[in-house]
Amino acid sequence: MSKKVILITGASSGMGKETAKALIQEGHTVYTVARRIDHMQDLKNMGGYPIQMDVTNENDIQNVVDTIIKHESKIDVLWNNAGYGLYGAVEDIPVDEARKQFEVNLFGLATITQKVVPYMRQAKSGTIINTSSMGGKMYTPMGAWYHASKHAVEGFSDCLRLELQEFNIKVVVLEPGVIATEFGEVMLKNISQFSSKGAYSSLTNQLVTATKKMYDKGQGSKPTVISKTVSKIVNETKPKTRYRVGLWAKPMVWMRIYLGDKLFDKIIMSQLS
C-alpha cells in the first residue's frame, strides 16, 4: 500500500475525524481542516496535521493548499467532507440562510477542488472524494435546501469526473445513510429555530419526534462504516464512482428510483405519523 498525502475537510468530529484517525494509523500523511481546530488536537497527537480553515473563506483555503504543497509537494487525495443540514419549511427559511447552506455544501467544496486540481493534473494522478448523502438521491419534508445542495454535489461530481478523466484523476461520490454523528443535533436545532411555530408546526413536531426517536435508539450506523469505505477508496487503484453506505442508504435510494414519486411520497410521510 503506497503512502499518500490526504486532505480532509470537516474533520473536527464524526465521519471526518474517525476516518482521519484510521488513515493516520495506516501510515498516510493526513492534513485535517475545520473551523474548530481545538477539536483536532487528538489528531495532531496521533501524527496528523490539523489546520484551522473555514470552507467558505477563500484565503483560508489558499493558505491550506499552499502549506501542504510547500511541505509535501503534492496532494494525492482530497476528501470534501465539510457540510451540514439546514432544515425547516421553504416558506420559513430566509434565503440568506439557504445561501449559507450552498456556500458550505457546494461552493466551498468547489473552491477547494479548483485549487487542488492543478497539482493533481500536473502529477497526472489523484482522487477527489465528495461527500453527498443518500439525500442527494432522495428527499424528505423540511429538507429542501439541504437536499438541493446535495443533489447539486451529485451533478457537480459527475461533470467533474468526466472533465478529469484524461488526467487520471478519479472523482468518487460518497453517499452516507444515517450515521451516528452531530448531524442530527444540528438538523434539529435548525428546524426548531425556523419552523417550530406557525403553519408548519405540526409537520415540524412530527419530524422532530421521528428524528429524536431514531437517534435516541442509536439506530445510526457507526462512523467506522465511513472510515472503512474511505480507506478502501484511498487504497484502490480503480475505485467505484459511488459508494452508498450506512443505515437506510441503499434501500431508500432503491425505493426512490424504482417506486415512483407518489408511492415514495407515501412511504416518507408514513414515517412521520
Side-chain angles (χ1 to χ4, degrees):
M1 182 184 75
S2 62
K3 307 303 180 190
K4 295 180 178 174
V5 176
I6 302 170
L7 170 56
I8 303 174
T9 70
S12 61
S13 65
M15 303 188 305
K17 175 175 274 197
E18 287 304 312
T19 303
K21 288 178 182 177
L23 294 172
I24 291 167
Q25 288 170 340
E26 285 179 15
H28 298 290
T29 302
V30 182
Y31 284 81
T32 59
V33 297
R35 287 177 303 162
R36 303 179 297 182
I37 193 165
D38 54 309
H39 287 221
M40 298 188 287
Q41 185 62 43
D42 51 345
L43 299 177
K44 184 178 182 180
N45 295 340
M46 289 179 68
Y49 300 93
I51 307 174
Q52 189 167 30
M53 190 193 90
D54 182 339
V55 77
T56 66
N57 186 313
E58 189 170 355
N59 289 332
D60 278 10
I61 293 172
Q62 189 67 62
N63 174 60
V64 166
V65 174
D66 289 347
T67 299
I68 299 172
I69 295 301
K70 179 183 175 183
H71 288 97
E72 313 295 340
S73 302
K74 64 174 184 171
I75 297 173
D76 296 307
V77 179
L78 167 62
W79 179 20
N80 285 309
N81 177 59
Y84 71 101
L86 177 63
Y87 274 73
V90 169
E91 186 179 342
D92 293 337
I93 293 178
V95 172
D96 279 350
E97 289 293 331
R99 286 195 182 97
K100 284 182 195 171
Q101 174 81 120
F102 271 77
E103 286 293 340
V104 173
N105 288 10
L106 180 67
F107 297 122
L109 173 154
T111 303
I112 197 165
T113 298
Q114 284 184 332
K115 294 187 184 301
V116 168
V117 160
Y119 298 103
M120 290 185 171
R121 193 163 38 74
Q122 287 165 16
K124 287 191 164 43
S125 173
T127 301
I128 298 169
I129 306 168
N130 290 335
T131 299
S132 176
S133 163
M134 66 177 178
K137 284 285 203 298
M138 41 79 74
Y139 51 86
T140 58
M142 318 299 274
W145 292 113
Y146 172 70
H147 288 286
S149 72
K150 290 304 186 181
H151 277 66
V153 168
E154 298 270 346
F156 175 91
S157 302
D158 287 333
C159 296
L160 185 68
R161 182 176 69 251
L162 298 181
E163 292 171 15
L164 298 182
Q165 246 174 16
E166 65 176 298
F167 304 109
N168 192 36
I169 302 169
K170 295 167 280 291
V171 178
V172 178
V173 181
L174 187 61
E175 296 174 337
V178 180
I179 309 295
T181 66
E182 291 179 349
F183 181 89
E185 294 171 30
V186 175
M187 169 195 158
L188 290 172
K189 181 182 174 185
N190 281 329
I191 196 169
S192 298
Q193 177 184 349
F194 295 116
S195 292
S196 60
K197 296 175 183 176
Y200 303 93
S201 59
S202 176
L203 186 57
T204 297
N205 291 335
Q206 288 176 314
L207 185 61
V208 167
T209 300
T211 303
K212 280 183 177 175
K213 190 183 294 183
M214 181 172 62
Y215 279 98
D216 288 348
K217 285 183 178 178
Q219 288 185 340
S221 297
K222 292 179 180 178
T224 48
V225 304
I226 300 297
S227 62
K228 288 175 182 174
T229 303
V230 172
S231 173
K232 185 189 294 184
I233 296 167
V234 166
N235 296 307
E236 285 269 3
T237 51
K238 292 182 179 178
K240 296 189 293 185
T241 57
R242 270 175 176 74
Y243 289 80
R244 203 166 287 149
V245 292
L247 181 69
W248 292 114
K250 288 179 180 177
M252 289 301 286
V253 175
W254 184 92
M255 285 190 284
R256 172 68 192 105
I257 293 170
Y258 293 105
L259 299 185
D261 297 344
K262 291 187 177 180
L263 186 51
F264 188 77
D265 287 356
K266 285 182 180 177
I267 292 167
I268 288 293
M269 296 307 285
S270 72
Q271 300 305 302
L272 303 181
S273 56

PDB file of all heavy atoms in Angstrom, residues 178-214:
ATOM      1  N   VAL A 178     -27.885   7.093   7.356  1.00  0.00           N
ATOM      2  CA  VAL A 178     -27.946   7.684   8.700  1.00  0.00           C
ATOM      3  C   VAL A 178     -26.714   7.233   9.489  1.00  0.00           C
ATOM      4  O   VAL A 178     -26.523   6.041   9.732  1.00  0.00           O
ATOM      5  CB  VAL A 178     -29.227   7.246   9.442  1.00  0.00           C
ATOM      6  CG1 VAL A 178     -29.273   7.859  10.841  1.00  0.00           C
ATOM      7  CG2 VAL A 178     -30.459   7.644   8.642  1.00  0.00           C
ATOM      8  N   ILE A 179     -25.867   8.198   9.847  1.00  0.00           N
ATOM      9  CA  ILE A 179     -24.643   7.913  10.599  1.00  0.00           C
ATOM     10  C   ILE A 179     -24.748   8.599  11.958  1.00  0.00           C
ATOM     11  O   ILE A 179     -25.226   9.732  12.060  1.00  0.00           O
ATOM     12  CB  ILE A 179     -23.394   8.441   9.851  1.00  0.00           C
ATOM     13  CG1 ILE A 179     -23.381   7.957   8.389  1.00  0.00           C
ATOM     14  CG2 ILE A 179     -22.111   8.001  10.573  1.00  0.00           C
ATOM     15  CD1 ILE A 179     -23.246   6.470   8.185  1.00  0.00           C
ATOM     16  N   ALA A 180     -24.288   7.927  13.001  1.00  0.00           N
ATOM     17  CA  ALA A 180     -24.357   8.476  14.362  1.00  0.00           C
ATOM     18  C   ALA A 180     -23.305   9.563  14.540  1.00  0.00           C
ATOM     19  O   ALA A 180     -22.184   9.315  14.998  1.00  0.00           O
ATOM     20  CB  ALA A 180     -24.157   7.360  15.378  1.00  0.00           C
ATOM     21  N   THR A 181     -23.647  10.796  14.146  1.00  0.00           N
ATOM     22  CA  THR A 181     -22.747  11.947  14.269  1.00  0.00           C
ATOM     23  C   THR A 181     -23.535  13.135  14.821  1.00  0.00           C
ATOM     24  O   THR A 181     -24.682  13.001  15.236  1.00  0.00           O
ATOM     25  CB  THR A 181     -22.162  12.340  12.896  1.00  0.00           C
ATOM     26  OG1 THR A 181     -23.230  12.825  12.064  1.00  0.00           O
ATOM     27  CG2 THR A 181     -21.492  11.157  12.220  1.00  0.00           C
ATOM     28  N   GLU A 182     -22.933  14.329  14.761  1.00  0.00           N
ATOM     29  CA  GLU A 182     -23.602  15.552  15.219  1.00  0.00           C
ATOM     30  C   GLU A 182     -24.667  16.028  14.238  1.00  0.00           C
ATOM     31  O   GLU A 182     -25.394  16.981  14.518  1.00  0.00           O
ATOM     32  CB  GLU A 182     -22.570  16.682  15.386  1.00  0.00           C
ATOM     33  CG  GLU A 182     -21.590  16.487  16.523  1.00  0.00           C
ATOM     34  CD  GLU A 182     -20.593  17.635  16.600  1.00  0.00           C
ATOM     35  OE1 GLU A 182     -20.531  18.451  15.660  1.00  0.00           O
ATOM     36  OE2 GLU A 182     -19.886  17.728  17.614  1.00  0.00           O
ATOM     37  N   PHE A 183     -24.765  15.397  13.069  1.00  0.00           N
ATOM     38  CA  PHE A 183     -25.681  15.874  12.024  1.00  0.00           C
ATOM     39  C   PHE A 183     -27.105  16.034  12.549  1.00  0.00           C
ATOM     40  O   PHE A 183     -27.769  17.035  12.294  1.00  0.00           O
ATOM     41  CB  PHE A 183     -25.668  14.906  10.832  1.00  0.00           C
ATOM     42  CG  PHE A 183     -26.565  15.336   9.696  1.00  0.00           C
ATOM     43  CD1 PHE A 183     -26.081  16.166   8.698  1.00  0.00           C
ATOM     44  CD2 PHE A 183     -27.891  14.929   9.635  1.00  0.00           C
ATOM     45  CE1 PHE A 183     -26.910  16.579   7.650  1.00  0.00           C
ATOM     46  CE2 PHE A 183     -28.727  15.338   8.607  1.00  0.00           C
ATOM     47  CZ  PHE A 183     -28.228  16.159   7.616  1.00  0.00           C
ATOM     48  N   GLY A 184     -27.577  15.029  13.301  1.00  0.00           N
ATOM     49  CA  GLY A 184     -28.949  15.060  13.808  1.00  0.00           C
ATOM     50  C   GLY A 184     -29.188  16.238  14.743  1.00  0.00           C
ATOM     51  O   GLY A 184     -30.234  16.895  14.697  1.00  0.00           O
ATOM     52  N   GLU A 185     -28.191  16.527  15.604  1.00  0.00           N
ATOM     53  CA  GLU A 185     -28.322  17.646  16.544  1.00  0.00           C
ATOM     54  C   GLU A 185     -28.440  18.979  15.802  1.00  0.00           C
ATOM     55  O   GLU A 185     -29.268  19.829  16.151  1.00  0.00           O
ATOM     56  CB  GLU A 185     -27.107  17.688  17.469  1.00  0.00           C
ATOM     57  CG  GLU A 185     -26.982  16.504  18.403  1.00  0.00           C
ATOM     58  CD  GLU A 185     -25.653  16.505  19.140  1.00  0.00           C
ATOM     59  OE1 GLU A 185     -25.116  17.607  19.380  1.00  0.00           O
ATOM     60  OE2 GLU A 185     -25.150  15.415  19.460  1.00  0.00           O
ATOM     61  N   VAL A 186     -27.581  19.163  14.801  1.00  0.00           N
ATOM     62  CA  VAL A 186     -27.599  20.411  14.027  1.00  0.00           C
ATOM     63  C   VAL A 186     -28.919  20.546  13.274  1.00  0.00           C
ATOM     64  O   VAL A 186     -29.529  21.621  13.238  1.00  0.00           O
ATOM     65  CB  VAL A 186     -26.406  20.459  13.040  1.00  0.00           C
ATOM     66  CG1 VAL A 186     -26.489  21.701  12.154  1.00  0.00           C
ATOM     67  CG2 VAL A 186     -25.090  20.437  13.805  1.00  0.00           C
ATOM     68  N   MET A 187     -29.372  19.452  12.694  1.00  0.00           N
ATOM     69  CA  MET A 187     -30.632  19.456  11.955  1.00  0.00           C
ATOM     70  C   MET A 187     -31.796  19.862  12.858  1.00  0.00           C
ATOM     71  O   MET A 187     -32.623  20.708  12.506  1.00  0.00           O
ATOM     72  CB  MET A 187     -30.883  18.066  11.374  1.00  0.00           C
ATOM     73  CG  MET A 187     -32.277  17.868  10.798  1.00  0.00           C
ATOM     74  SD  MET A 187     -32.616  16.111  10.544  1.00  0.00           S
ATOM     75  CE  MET A 187     -34.393  16.116  10.546  1.00  0.00           C
ATOM     76  N   LEU A 188     -31.862  19.259  14.057  1.00  0.00           N
ATOM     77  CA  LEU A 188     -32.953  19.547  14.986  1.00  0.00           C
ATOM     78  C   LEU A 188     -32.900  20.992  15.481  1.00  0.00           C
ATOM     79  O   LEU A 188     -33.932  21.642  15.659  1.00  0.00           O
ATOM     80  CB  LEU A 188     -32.907  18.580  16.177  1.00  0.00           C
ATOM     81  CG  LEU A 188     -33.267  17.130  15.853  1.00  0.00           C
ATOM     82  CD1 LEU A 188     -32.992  16.229  17.044  1.00  0.00           C
ATOM     83  CD2 LEU A 188     -34.723  17.014  15.427  1.00  0.00           C
ATOM     84  N   LYS A 189     -31.690  21.494  15.675  1.00  0.00           N
ATOM     85  CA  LYS A 189     -31.529  22.891  16.098  1.00  0.00           C
ATOM     86  C   LYS A 189     -32.068  23.833  15.029  1.00  0.00           C
ATOM     87  O   LYS A 189     -32.786  24.791  15.320  1.00  0.00           O
ATOM     88  CB  LYS A 189     -30.046  23.180  16.361  1.00  0.00           C
ATOM     89  CG  LYS A 189     -29.773  24.602  16.836  1.00  0.00           C
ATOM     90  CD  LYS A 189     -28.285  24.825  17.031  1.00  0.00           C
ATOM     91  CE  LYS A 189     -27.994  26.272  17.367  1.00  0.00           C
ATOM     92  NZ  LYS A 189     -26.538  26.541  17.454  1.00  0.00           N
ATOM     93  N   ASN A 190     -31.742  23.550  13.772  1.00  0.00           N
ATOM     94  CA  ASN A 190     -32.194  24.387  12.663  1.00  0.00           C
ATOM     95  C   ASN A 190     -33.709  24.360  12.507  1.00  0.00           C
ATOM     96  O   ASN A 190     -34.350  25.407  12.383  1.00  0.00           O
ATOM     97  CB  ASN A 190     -31.543  23.936  11.350  1.00  0.00           C
ATOM     98  CG  ASN A 190     -30.127  24.425  11.213  1.00  0.00           C
ATOM     99  OD1 ASN A 190     -29.774  25.479  11.714  1.00  0.00           O
ATOM    100  ND2 ASN A 190     -29.290  23.647  10.543  1.00  0.00           N
ATOM    101  N   ILE A 191     -34.270  23.166  12.514  1.00  0.00           N
ATOM    102  CA  ILE A 191     -35.701  23.054  12.253  1.00  0.00           C
ATOM    103  C   ILE A 191     -36.511  23.679  13.395  1.00  0.00           C
ATOM    104  O   ILE A 191     -37.559  24.298  13.172  1.00  0.00           O
ATOM    105  CB  ILE A 191     -36.124  21.584  12.004  1.00  0.00           C
ATOM    106  CG1 ILE A 191     -37.507  21.543  11.349  1.00  0.00           C
ATOM    107  CG2 ILE A 191     -36.098  20.760  13.268  1.00  0.00           C
ATOM    108  CD1 ILE A 191     -37.886  20.171  10.836  1.00  0.00           C
ATOM    109  N   SER A 192     -35.994  23.559  14.614  1.00  0.00           N
ATOM    110  CA  SER A 192     -36.679  24.172  15.750  1.00  0.00           C
ATOM    111  C   SER A 192     -36.617  25.695  15.666  1.00  0.00           C
ATOM    112  O   SER A 192     -37.559  26.395  16.055  1.00  0.00           O
ATOM    113  CB  SER A 192     -36.046  23.697  17.061  1.00  0.00           C
ATOM    114  OG  SER A 192     -36.194  22.297  17.193  1.00  0.00           O
ATOM    115  N   GLN A 193     -35.516  26.198  15.135  1.00  0.00           N
ATOM    116  CA  GLN A 193     -35.335  27.640  15.008  1.00  0.00           C
ATOM    117  C   GLN A 193     -36.289  28.246  13.977  1.00  0.00           C
ATOM    118  O   GLN A 193     -36.856  29.312  14.192  1.00  0.00           O
ATOM    119  CB  GLN A 193     -33.887  27.948  14.609  1.00  0.00           C
ATOM    120  CG  GLN A 193     -33.600  29.430  14.387  1.00  0.00           C
ATOM    121  CD  GLN A 193     -32.169  29.662  13.904  1.00  0.00           C
ATOM    122  OE1 GLN A 193     -31.331  28.761  13.926  1.00  0.00           O
ATOM    123  NE2 GLN A 193     -31.891  30.869  13.459  1.00  0.00           N
ATOM    124  N   PHE A 194     -36.483  27.538  12.857  1.00  0.00           N
ATOM    125  CA  PHE A 194     -37.205  28.142  11.739  1.00  0.00           C
ATOM    126  C   PHE A 194     -38.683  27.760  11.633  1.00  0.00           C
ATOM    127  O   PHE A 194     -39.483  28.539  11.147  1.00  0.00           O
ATOM    128  CB  PHE A 194     -36.504  27.802  10.416  1.00  0.00           C
ATOM    129  CG  PHE A 194     -35.131  28.397  10.304  1.00  0.00           C
ATOM    130  CD1 PHE A 194     -34.009  27.584  10.232  1.00  0.00           C
ATOM    131  CD2 PHE A 194     -34.954  29.772  10.291  1.00  0.00           C
ATOM    132  CE1 PHE A 194     -32.741  28.134  10.144  1.00  0.00           C
ATOM    133  CE2 PHE A 194     -33.689  30.331  10.200  1.00  0.00           C
ATOM    134  CZ  PHE A 194     -32.571  29.512  10.124  1.00  0.00           C
ATOM    135  N   SER A 195     -39.044  26.555  12.054  1.00  0.00           N
ATOM    136  CA  SER A 195     -40.407  26.090  11.747  1.00  0.00           C
ATOM    137  C   SER A 195     -41.156  25.460  12.913  1.00  0.00           C
ATOM    138  O   SER A 195     -42.108  24.722  12.716  1.00  0.00           O
ATOM    139  CB  SER A 195     -40.364  25.094  10.583  1.00  0.00           C
ATOM    140  OG  SER A 195     -40.000  25.749   9.386  1.00  0.00           O
ATOM    141  N   SER A 196     -40.713  25.737  14.159  1.00  0.00           N
ATOM    142  CA  SER A 196     -41.393  25.110  15.292  1.00  0.00           C
ATOM    143  C   SER A 196     -42.743  25.764  15.594  1.00  0.00           C
ATOM    144  O   SER A 196     -43.565  25.193  16.291  1.00  0.00           O
ATOM    145  CB  SER A 196     -40.496  25.164  16.536  1.00  0.00           C
ATOM    146  OG  SER A 196     -40.189  26.501  16.865  1.00  0.00           O
ATOM    147  N   LYS A 197     -42.957  26.968  15.058  1.00  0.00           N
ATOM    148  CA  LYS A 197     -44.238  27.654  15.244  1.00  0.00           C
ATOM    149  C   LYS A 197     -44.792  28.022  13.873  1.00  0.00           C
ATOM    150  O   LYS A 197     -44.071  28.074  12.888  1.00  0.00           O
ATOM    151  CB  LYS A 197     -44.049  28.912  16.091  1.00  0.00           C
ATOM    152  CG  LYS A 197     -43.577  28.618  17.508  1.00  0.00           C
ATOM    153  CD  LYS A 197     -43.291  29.889  18.272  1.00  0.00           C
ATOM    154  CE  LYS A 197     -42.754  29.566  19.667  1.00  0.00           C
ATOM    155  NZ  LYS A 197     -42.371  30.789  20.404  1.00  0.00           N
ATOM    156  N   GLY A 198     -46.074  28.288  13.827  1.00  0.00           N
ATOM    157  CA  GLY A 198     -46.671  28.726  12.573  1.00  0.00           C
ATOM    158  C   GLY A 198     -47.314  27.598  11.795  1.00  0.00           C
ATOM    159  O   GLY A 198     -47.646  26.540  12.337  1.00  0.00           O
ATOM    160  N   ALA A 199     -47.461  27.810  10.496  1.00  0.00           N
ATOM    161  CA  ALA A 199     -48.241  26.907   9.645  1.00  0.00           C
ATOM    162  C   ALA A 199     -47.678  25.487   9.589  1.00  0.00           C
ATOM    163  O   ALA A 199     -48.420  24.533   9.366  1.00  0.00           O
ATOM    164  CB  ALA A 199     -48.327  27.488   8.230  1.00  0.00           C
ATOM    165  N   TYR A 200     -46.368  25.345   9.794  1.00  0.00           N
ATOM    166  CA  TYR A 200     -45.736  24.034   9.617  1.00  0.00           C
ATOM    167  C   TYR A 200     -45.361  23.382  10.950  1.00  0.00           C
ATOM    168  O   TYR A 200     -44.582  22.435  10.981  1.00  0.00           O
ATOM    169  CB  TYR A 200     -44.491  24.177   8.732  1.00  0.00           C
ATOM    170  CG  TYR A 200     -44.806  24.795   7.395  1.00  0.00           C
ATOM    171  CD1 TYR A 200     -44.684  26.173   7.205  1.00  0.00           C
ATOM    172  CD2 TYR A 200     -45.280  24.032   6.329  1.00  0.00           C
ATOM    173  CE1 TYR A 200     -45.007  26.766   5.986  1.00  0.00           C
ATOM    174  CE2 TYR A 200     -45.602  24.606   5.115  1.00  0.00           C
ATOM    175  CZ  TYR A 200     -45.468  25.976   4.947  1.00  0.00           C
ATOM    176  OH  TYR A 200     -45.788  26.547   3.745  1.00  0.00           O
ATOM    177  N   SER A 201     -45.910  23.895  12.047  1.00  0.00           N
ATOM    178  CA  SER A 201     -45.521  23.393  13.372  1.00  0.00           C
ATOM    179  C   SER A 201     -45.876  21.916  13.554  1.00  0.00           C
ATOM    180  O   SER A 201     -45.110  21.153  14.143  1.00  0.00           O
ATOM    181  CB  SER A 201     -46.172  24.230  14.468  1.00  0.00           C
ATOM    182  OG  SER A 201     -47.581  24.201  14.357  1.00  0.00           O
ATOM    183  N   SER A 202     -47.013  21.498  13.021  1.00  0.00           N
ATOM    184  CA  SER A 202     -47.420  20.095  13.162  1.00  0.00           C
ATOM    185  C   SER A 202     -46.440  19.166  12.454  1.00  0.00           C
ATOM    186  O   SER A 202     -45.983  18.165  13.022  1.00  0.00           O
ATOM    187  CB  SER A 202     -48.834  19.906  12.600  1.00  0.00           C
ATOM    188  OG  SER A 202     -49.196  18.533  12.639  1.00  0.00           O
ATOM    189  N   LEU A 203     -46.115  19.505  11.212  1.00  0.00           N
ATOM    190  CA  LEU A 203     -45.165  18.694  10.439  1.00  0.00           C
ATOM    191  C   LEU A 203     -43.785  18.719  11.094  1.00  0.00           C
ATOM    192  O   LEU A 203     -43.098  17.689  11.176  1.00  0.00           O
ATOM    193  CB  LEU A 203     -45.088  19.223   9.006  1.00  0.00           C
ATOM    194  CG  LEU A 203     -44.258  18.421   8.000  1.00  0.00           C
ATOM    195  CD1 LEU A 203     -44.750  16.984   7.894  1.00  0.00           C
ATOM    196  CD2 LEU A 203     -44.290  19.098   6.626  1.00  0.00           C
ATOM    197  N   THR A 204     -43.401  19.888  11.584  1.00  0.00           N
ATOM    198  CA  THR A 204     -42.107  20.022  12.260  1.00  0.00           C
ATOM    199  C   THR A 204     -42.039  19.119  13.483  1.00  0.00           C
ATOM    200  O   THR A 204     -41.055  18.383  13.681  1.00  0.00           O
ATOM    201  CB  THR A 204     -41.875  21.482  12.699  1.00  0.00           C
ATOM    202  OG1 THR A 204     -41.816  22.312  11.548  1.00  0.00           O
ATOM    203  CG2 THR A 204     -40.575  21.620  13.483  1.00  0.00           C
ATOM    204  N   ASN A 205     -43.088  19.148  14.301  1.00  0.00           N
ATOM    205  CA  ASN A 205     -43.104  18.328  15.516  1.00  0.00           C
ATOM    206  C   ASN A 205     -43.033  16.832  15.188  1.00  0.00           C
ATOM    207  O   ASN A 205     -42.369  16.060  15.886  1.00  0.00           O
ATOM    208  CB  ASN A 205     -44.358  18.622  16.340  1.00  0.00           C
ATOM    209  CG  ASN A 205     -44.321  20.015  16.953  1.00  0.00           C
ATOM    210  OD1 ASN A 205     -43.248  20.570  17.165  1.00  0.00           O
ATOM    211  ND2 ASN A 205     -45.490  20.580  17.223  1.00  0.00           N
ATOM    212  N   GLN A 206     -43.726  16.439  14.119  1.00  0.00           N
ATOM    213  CA  GLN A 206     -43.680  15.036  13.696  1.00  0.00           C
ATOM    214  C   GLN A 206     -42.260  14.636  13.284  1.00  0.00           C
ATOM    215  O   GLN A 206     -41.768  13.562  13.652  1.00  0.00           O
ATOM    216  CB  GLN A 206     -44.633  14.809  12.523  1.00  0.00           C
ATOM    217  CG  GLN A 206     -46.108  14.832  12.899  1.00  0.00           C
ATOM    218  CD  GLN A 206     -46.997  14.699  11.664  1.00  0.00           C
ATOM    219  OE1 GLN A 206     -46.784  15.358  10.646  1.00  0.00           O
ATOM    220  NE2 GLN A 206     -47.992  13.833  11.742  1.00  0.00           N
ATOM    221  N   LEU A 207     -41.610  15.511  12.527  1.00  0.00           N
ATOM    222  CA  LEU A 207     -40.256  15.216  12.052  1.00  0.00           C
ATOM    223  C   LEU A 207     -39.264  15.193  13.211  1.00  0.00           C
ATOM    224  O   LEU A 207     -38.396  14.312  13.280  1.00  0.00           O
ATOM    225  CB  LEU A 207     -39.824  16.259  11.011  1.00  0.00           C
ATOM    226  CG  LEU A 207     -38.479  16.010  10.328  1.00  0.00           C
ATOM    227  CD1 LEU A 207     -38.499  14.693   9.551  1.00  0.00           C
ATOM    228  CD2 LEU A 207     -38.124  17.150   9.380  1.00  0.00           C
ATOM    229  N   VAL A 208     -39.392  16.143  14.133  1.00  0.00           N
ATOM    230  CA  VAL A 208     -38.506  16.191  15.300  1.00  0.00           C
ATOM    231  C   VAL A 208     -38.664  14.923  16.138  1.00  0.00           C
ATOM    232  O   VAL A 208     -37.675  14.307  16.538  1.00  0.00           O
ATOM    233  CB  VAL A 208     -38.807  17.449  16.154  1.00  0.00           C
ATOM    234  CG1 VAL A 208     -38.117  17.346  17.520  1.00  0.00           C
ATOM    235  CG2 VAL A 208     -38.341  18.707  15.425  1.00  0.00           C
ATOM    236  N   THR A 209     -39.901  14.514  16.379  1.00  0.00           N
ATOM    237  CA  THR A 209     -40.166  13.307  17.178  1.00  0.00           C
ATOM    238  C   THR A 209     -39.570  12.066  16.518  1.00  0.00           C
ATOM    239  O   THR A 209     -38.912  11.247  17.174  1.00  0.00           O
ATOM    240  CB  THR A 209     -41.688  13.107  17.368  1.00  0.00           C
ATOM    241  OG1 THR A 209     -42.221  14.247  18.036  1.00  0.00           O
ATOM    242  CG2 THR A 209     -41.976  11.861  18.192  1.00  0.00           C
ATOM    243  N   ALA A 210     -39.793  11.938  15.209  1.00  0.00           N
ATOM    244  CA  ALA A 210     -39.274  10.766  14.475  1.00  0.00           C
ATOM    245  C   ALA A 210     -37.746  10.757  14.472  1.00  0.00           C
ATOM    246  O   ALA A 210     -37.119   9.695  14.639  1.00  0.00           O
ATOM    247  CB  ALA A 210     -39.805  10.785  13.043  1.00  0.00           C
ATOM    248  N   THR A 211     -37.142  11.931  14.315  1.00  0.00           N
ATOM    249  CA  THR A 211     -35.674  12.011  14.275  1.00  0.00           C
ATOM    250  C   THR A 211     -35.072  11.699  15.636  1.00  0.00           C
ATOM    251  O   THR A 211     -34.102  10.935  15.739  1.00  0.00           O
ATOM    252  CB  THR A 211     -35.226  13.421  13.816  1.00  0.00           C
ATOM    253  OG1 THR A 211     -35.803  13.697  12.540  1.00  0.00           O
ATOM    254  CG2 THR A 211     -33.716  13.503  13.702  1.00  0.00           C
ATOM    255  N   LYS A 212     -35.654  12.279  16.686  1.00  0.00           N
ATOM    256  CA  LYS A 212     -35.142  12.012  18.037  1.00  0.00           C
ATOM    257  C   LYS A 212     -35.250  10.530  18.379  1.00  0.00           C
ATOM    258  O   LYS A 212     -34.346   9.947  18.964  1.00  0.00           O
ATOM    259  CB  LYS A 212     -35.934  12.840  19.056  1.00  0.00           C
ATOM    260  CG  LYS A 212     -35.488  14.289  19.158  1.00  0.00           C
ATOM    261  CD  LYS A 212     -36.273  15.013  20.231  1.00  0.00           C
ATOM    262  CE  LYS A 212     -35.782  16.448  20.394  1.00  0.00           C
ATOM    263  NZ  LYS A 212     -36.621  17.200  21.363  1.00  0.00           N
ATOM    264  N   LYS A 213     -36.362   9.942  18.005  1.00  0.00           N
ATOM    265  CA  LYS A 213     -36.586   8.518  18.283  1.00  0.00           C
ATOM    266  C   LYS A 213     -35.492   7.676  17.619  1.00  0.00           C
ATOM    267  O   LYS A 213     -34.943   6.748  18.221  1.00  0.00           O
ATOM    268  CB  LYS A 213     -37.972   8.100  17.766  1.00  0.00           C
ATOM    269  CG  LYS A 213     -38.408   6.707  18.227  1.00  0.00           C
ATOM    270  CD  LYS A 213     -39.744   6.316  17.618  1.00  0.00           C
ATOM    271  CE  LYS A 213     -40.885   7.204  18.115  1.00  0.00           C
ATOM    272  NZ  LYS A 213     -42.194   6.759  17.547  1.00  0.00           N
ATOM    273  N   MET A 214     -35.182   8.027  16.381  1.00  0.00           N
ATOM    274  CA  MET A 214     -34.178   7.270  15.630  1.00  0.00           C
ATOM    275  C   MET A 214     -32.794   7.406  16.274  1.00  0.00           C
ATOM    276  O   MET A 214     -32.090   6.420  16.482  1.00  0.00           O
ATOM    277  CB  MET A 214     -34.131   7.767  14.183  1.00  0.00           C
ATOM    278  CG  MET A 214     -33.137   7.022  13.299  1.00  0.00           C
ATOM    279  SD  MET A 214     -33.317   7.500  11.574  1.00  0.00           S
ATOM    280  CE  MET A 214     -32.932   9.252  11.670  1.00  0.00           C
TER     281      MET A 214
END
